Amino acid sequence: MIENLISHPKRDRLSAFFDMFELAASLEPARASDGQAMLFVVGPPGGPAEAVILCVRGDATPEPPVLVTVAVDFEGAHNPLMNALPDQVRVDINDMPALRDTTAAFVAEAWESRCGRSAALNRLCEVMVLLILRSAIDRGATRPGLLAGLSHPALHRALVAMHDAPTRSWNSEELASAAGMSRSHFMALFRDVVGTTPLAYLTGWRLTIARRKLSKGAKVKAVAREVGFGSAAAFSRAYLRKFGDWPSLERPVSI
């Protein structure tokens, strides 16, 4: 079978994460114990920014001079994309005109106290993080995982299909077709690149969505149905296996 990659255009690999997880920025310094992601804008004192550095684990500090330091909350504990990134992602902004212009606007807002400053910082930071993530995907990854899968020219289509329609009863043939591959090649390549099977990844994505819904006060039975599980019991067992706790404060009477 000849596998045709040309007829399958790239799909949006980031929208699902920005739709699912909320991003907030703060110029207030985070405590070392927070483990919060930090975004550093670096450049000469008083001069234009030269690079942005996203320290995902919040435990690294770039060499000075730093023009702006901002704490970034992109729900890192729950966001699988943030967890898939390396500890530090550096992007030279002169290589990305869109990031250069956005960063200049961000620095201007950070240095001035104007009306709507907080809202402006959040929105500009969201665009900056998005562009940094684009750069990280373009670079690829050296170890198996979500970032490597999103970087792959064919596999990312199957991942996006699962992200966009998590409740669909996907099977391996349909996902292989989305990637433009034979089933056997797809299954082997997916495991090598992403580090797990497609259906195991789909279950994990569903549970990630479920945990966020539960954190917002949704009920277990409703969430189980909304993320594609056949019953609350099956959902609770899967949730326990992944997160080590039941999906509610009360342990279910019968599973």
Side-chain angles (χ1 to χ4, degrees):
M1 177 180 178
I2 298 175
E3 295 168 0
N4 187 352
L5 300 182
I6 298 176
S7 62
H8 295 271
K10 289 184 178 181
R11 301 177 67 179
D12 192 328
R13 292 167 281 183
L14 290 175
S15 287
F17 298 99
F18 281 88
D19 290 342
M20 179 64 58
F21 303 102
E22 297 176 358
L23 187 148
S26 173
L27 295 179
E28 296 296 326
R31 299 187 302 273
S33 60
D34 287 345
Q36 196 170 33
M38 303 295 292
L39 181 65
F40 300 95
V41 180
V42 298
E50 295 178 345
V52 291
I53 304 174
L54 179 63
C55 294
V56 179
R57 317 291 172 237
D59 56 2
T61 303
E63 295 182 3
V66 175
L67 301 178
V68 179
T69 300
V70 57
V72 177
D73 181 4
F74 198 19
E75 302 190 41
H78 303 289
N79 188 334
L81 181 55
M82 292 296 283
N83 290 331
L85 292 175
D87 289 345
Q88 185 175 118
V89 181
R90 178 189 174 104
V91 182
D92 292 329
I93 63 175
N94 288 327
D95 296 336
M96 296 182 67
L99 181 58
R100 180 191 62 218
D101 296 343
T102 305
T103 301
F106 182 83
V107 171
E109 288 290 339
W111 284 353
E112 299 179 19
S113 296
R114 303 182 65 183
C115 296
R117 178 175 184 251
S118 178
L121 289 174
N122 274 326
R123 285 160 176 76
L124 290 167
C125 185
E126 183 174 37
V127 176
M128 291 169 68
V129 170
L130 187 152
L131 294 173
I132 292 169
L133 291 173
R134 278 185 188 171
S135 176
I137 289 173
D138 289 343
R139 295 179 194 178
T142 58
R143 61 183 182 180
L146 174 58
L147 183 61
L150 292 173
S151 302
H152 193 277
L155 289 179
H156 79 269
R157 293 191 291 271
L159 285 167
V160 172
M162 289 186 276
H163 293 159
D164 289 348
T167 60
R168 178 172 169 175
S169 298
W170 292 102
N171 59 43
S172 54
E173 289 80 6
E174 291 170 331
L175 292 170
S177 177
M181 299 180 180
S182 69
R183 180 186 179 281
S184 59
H185 186 194
F186 170 74
M187 294 296 288
L189 186 63
F190 194 99
R191 182 182 283 277
D192 288 344
V193 174
V194 183
T196 188
T197 67
L199 297 185
Y201 179 84
L202 175 60
T203 298
W205 176 244
R206 288 172 170 171
L207 292 170
T208 295
I209 297 171
R211 181 164 65 168
R212 194 175 190 285
K213 287 178 177 289
L214 291 168
S215 72
K216 301 297 183 181
K219 302 297 183 182
V220 172
K221 287 184 178 180
V223 169
R225 182 175 61 254
E226 290 170 5
V227 299
F229 281 83
S231 69
F235 165 68
S236 295
R237 288 194 297 268
Y239 192 98
L240 177 63
R241 286 193 297 270
K242 181 171 179 62
F243 299 120
D245 202 358
W246 298 103
S248 65
L249 295 178
E250 294 182 0
R251 182 181 175 126
V253 175
S254 175
I255 293 294

